[in-house]
Amino acid sequence: MNQTYGIAGVSAVVLATALVGALGLRISRTTSDFYVASRTVAPRLNAFAVSGEYLSAASFLGIAGLLLAQGVDMLWFPIGYTAGFLVLLAFVAAPLRRSGAYTLPDFAEARLESRAVRRIAGVLVVGVGWLYLLPQLRGAGLTLRLLTGAPGWLGGLVVAVVVTAAVAAGGMRSITFVQAFQYWLKLTALLVPVVFLLAAWHADRAPLPAWDERPVFHRSTEVRVDRPVNVTVEEPVRVTATGSIDGHPLRGAALTLTEGRHHIGAHTDLRFPQGAQVPLPDRETGSAPLAPRRGEHGLYATYGLILATFLGTMGLPHVVVRFYTNPDGRAARRTTVIVLGLLGAFYLLMPLYGSLARLYAPDLLLTGDTDAAVLMLPQRLIGGVGGDLLGALVAGGACAAFLSTASGLTMSVAGVLAQDVLPALGLRHFRLAVVPAIAVPTAAGTVVGGLPVADAVGLAFAVSASSFCPLLILGIWWRGLTPPGAIAGLLLGGGSALTAVTTTITGGPSSGWPHTLLAWPAVWSVPVGFTAMILVSLATRHRVPPGTTATMARLHLPEGRA
């Protein structure tokens, strides 16, 4: 990718984000403006903003990377990301808006009249938000590294600075305009290049990718390995190498990589012939997806993915807070319906990018940079100035992806920190809370930066599904929920899921059932959360809050009648 064009594209997006945010800043005046845009955002604008912040780096970069690495089974990610809004529409959107809350902890306290439930919900909101911020910062680091060769942590730091300035300055009113603009930018950044990519694919006689076997190099390909990696070769392949293989220094030497395991040193250049199988990196040295390889508990992993994405959307703090900005419950439902259409249009493009990457960028499997597939395809298929311009557009779209989602997440986490951790001093402490809201995941990203972005987002969904899905469903639709029941469900369901994904991220078991159960906890943690809430609530019927009848009426009756 041409660095000059790419840097220009990213810089243009950052500048446009600042200008659009300044528009919102001019009309942000009150505390309500900062937290929920004074609850006056129209359904269409809110749907654009919801889609803008929801379509994160995992959607823009990660899904195509997982399709490249794991095949069509990974299409469950976009299906689950979209279907989660159907559940949100049917059970949560309108009642949640009628609750009159600012945040999920606000809802928990209003429904159950318990400060303890509010505090636990606040901790989980911050945990989910930080988990979700990690892949956005990784996507930023990956993009900047490809554009400039800078270290990966620098991209995350740049995003942290931009997001801190935007959120602290204008709050929700400003971020609404920014995220709405960024949805259309992201859609354009994928839609325009894919037209040219498909034309180039058709001119290449429209080859089809092989999904049921190890990918091969469609063309003679030179691969640059920047960091040491251990790879497994399934059949002998003739390569030309400059660098180090199995400890032997090489300079333009032709050799055969035999079947088995080989160590490729840092800064090694390899040229593979057309038709050669791609050597795959071992898990411990590559950025391998969490999903088990086919045949190793793959069905369980699929169910874990489905449960996490279908049920986790309703508890994502940056998504839920947007429904508080609608004027009423009816507008919240209309927002959700529009969002479903906007997400569907976006996710139709991802299988195309994943399939083209399987054909023209299989070397990313060897280097571990599968998340870069979308960024690399314009240069691989088109090349020249045209490829550079399209690559700059895609890079700008990727920048918009992690900026918009990071802004929404920082906004929601800072809101919880400002209300439940720092003393309540209004906008001053909201602005102060923005700093730890983004600084903690920025620092953590330097330690766990190798996790693929879509997998990291899947972990955040699992925690959300295990904690806030039971709280919202039962809190909205069952008057028998009690504070002890909610606490038990949040601690057992959400706490166990948070522990499992933290163990996975920080280097837990890498294979077998222990790895599978920890990497995809939703299969067992969601039932644990629901069961704990129901059983403990039944055992503490006398603890049903006295204002439950009035609260339930407010949640379910139209605003005027309530």
Side-chain angles (χ1 to χ4, degrees):
M1 181 184 299
N2 185 287
Q3 293 185 357
T4 302
Y5 287 93
I7 293 173
V10 170
S11 300
V13 170
V14 173
L15 178 60
T17 297
L19 292 176
V20 175
L23 171 65
L25 175 60
R26 294 180 60 186
I27 56 177
S28 290
R29 294 291 180 266
T30 67
T31 301
S32 184
D33 277 334
F34 269 73
Y35 284 120
V36 289
S38 294
R39 306 188 196 277
T40 57
V41 182
R44 186 175 300 176
L45 175 61
N46 210 21
F48 296 157
V50 171
S51 302
E53 69 176 349
Y54 187 66
L55 296 171
S56 64
S59 297
F60 197 95
L61 300 176
I63 291 176
L66 285 181
L67 285 171
L68 163 62
Q70 294 287 331
V72 294
D73 291 346
M74 296 298 101
L75 287 175
W76 280 112
F77 271 97
I79 292 172
Y81 289 158
T82 306
F85 275 90
L86 285 174
V87 182
L88 186 67
L89 171 65
F91 297 108
V92 174
L96 192 62
R97 168 58 189 88
R98 296 187 188 113
S99 71
Y102 281 104
T103 62
L104 278 171
D106 281 343
F107 168 81
E109 183 180 24
R111 169 64 178 85
L112 296 165
E113 302 173 23
S114 168
R115 291 289 297 179
V117 176
R118 179 192 181 98
R119 284 192 289 268
I120 296 171
V123 171
L124 288 169
V125 164
V126 172
V128 171
W130 282 345
L131 274 174
Y132 215 131
L133 275 166
L134 283 174
Q136 315 315 316
L137 300 173
R138 168 171 161 74
L142 174 66
T143 302
L144 191 64
R145 177 165 61 83
L146 290 174
L147 291 178
T148 66
W153 58 266
L154 184 59
L157 182 61
V158 170
V159 168
V161 172
V162 173
V163 167
T164 299
V167 174
M172 183 61 77
R173 177 73 74 180
S174 176
I175 293 302
T176 296
F177 291 106
V178 169
Q179 291 168 339
F181 158 73
Q182 287 172 336
Y183 168 77
W184 292 107
L185 176 60
K186 284 182 278 191
L187 184 63
T188 302
L190 290 180
L191 186 59
V192 172
V194 84
V195 173
F196 293 93
L197 294 176
L198 290 176
W201 169 75
H202 187 269
D204 193 31
R205 301 182 181 180
L208 297 178
W211 298 107
D212 296 328
E213 56 191 33
R214 181 174 291 213
V216 300
F217 290 101
H218 181 66
R219 302 168 176 169
S220 177
T221 304
E222 184 169 335
V223 181
R224 171 77 172 180
V225 179
D226 291 323
R227 52 187 180 270
V229 61
N230 295 322
V231 300
T232 300
V233 176
E234 289 193 346
E235 61 181 39
V237 57
R238 189 76 174 170
V239 300
T240 302
T242 298
S244 171
I245 297 181
D246 295 330
H248 302 295
L250 303 167
R251 178 168 294 181
L255 72 157
T256 299
L257 293 179
T258 58
E259 293 182 32
R261 200 163 180 254
H262 298 272
H263 177 79
I264 300 176
H267 311 299
T268 297
D269 295 317
L270 301 168
R271 176 165 289 280
F272 291 87
Q274 178 180 352
Q277 282 192 350
V278 180
L280 298 181
D282 296 343
R283 179 176 175 82
E284 63 270 18
T285 59
S287 182
L290 295 176
R293 297 286 179 188
R294 293 171 185 164
E296 185 185 358
H297 319 309
L299 183 60
Y300 174 93
T302 299
Y303 285 133
L305 170 62
I306 292 172
L307 272 176
T309 52
F310 277 43
L311 302 181
T313 301
M314 69 179 69
L316 295 177
H318 64 304
V319 171
V320 169
V321 73
R322 293 233 57 97
F323 288 95
Y324 300 138
T325 66
N326 281 120
D328 50 42
R330 183 170 179 267
R333 283 201 178 100
R334 289 182 59 196
T335 293
T336 311
V337 172
I338 298 171
V339 166
L340 284 168
L342 296 174
L343 295 184
F346 182 91
Y347 283 130
L348 283 174
L349 301 174
M350 303 320 301
L352 299 177
Y353 278 92
S355 299
L356 291 174
R358 187 88 170 183
L359 284 170
Y360 297 103
D363 55 288
L364 298 178
L365 293 168
L366 173 57
T367 62
D369 286 331
T370 54
D371 290 329
V374 173
L375 298 169
M376 302 299 293
L377 282 173
Q379 193 60 44
R380 294 291 178 88
L381 271 78
I382 299 170
V385 176
D388 290 335
L389 290 173
L390 293 175
L393 179 60
V394 173
C399 180
F402 43 72
L403 278 179
S404 60
T405 304
S407 298
L409 288 165
T410 304
M411 178 77 208
S412 59
V413 172
V416 172
L417 293 176
Q419 293 187 53
D420 298 324
V421 178
L422 297 173
L425 294 179
L427 298 182
R428 177 189 172 191
H429 273 196
F430 170 80
R431 291 187 169 107
L432 290 176
V434 170
V435 176
I438 189 69
V440 171
T442 302
T446 62
V447 179
V448 296
L451 190 65
V453 294
D455 276 332
V457 166
L459 297 178
F461 270 80
V463 177
S464 173
S466 305
S467 53
F468 295 120
C469 175
L471 178 66
L472 289 170
I473 294 293
L474 297 178
I476 290 172
W477 296 100
W478 184 41
R479 64 181 61 246
L481 182 65
T482 65
I487 291 172
L490 289 174
L491 290 178
L492 293 177
S496 62
L498 186 59
T499 301
V501 302
T502 302
T503 302
T504 300
I505 289 176
T506 55
S510 60
S511 62
W513 274 112
H515 162 72
T516 305
L517 292 171
L518 293 174
W520 305 101
V523 173
W524 53 268
S525 57
V526 171
V528 164
F530 271 105
T531 302
M533 282 194 189
I534 293 171
L535 293 181
V536 175
S537 294
L538 291 175
T540 57
R541 292 186 180 92
H542 62 285
R543 298 286 302 277
V544 173
T548 296
T549 300
T551 302
M552 297 296 284
R554 185 169 68 252
L555 294 178
H556 293 284
L557 291 177
E559 279 75 5
R561 297 180 183 180

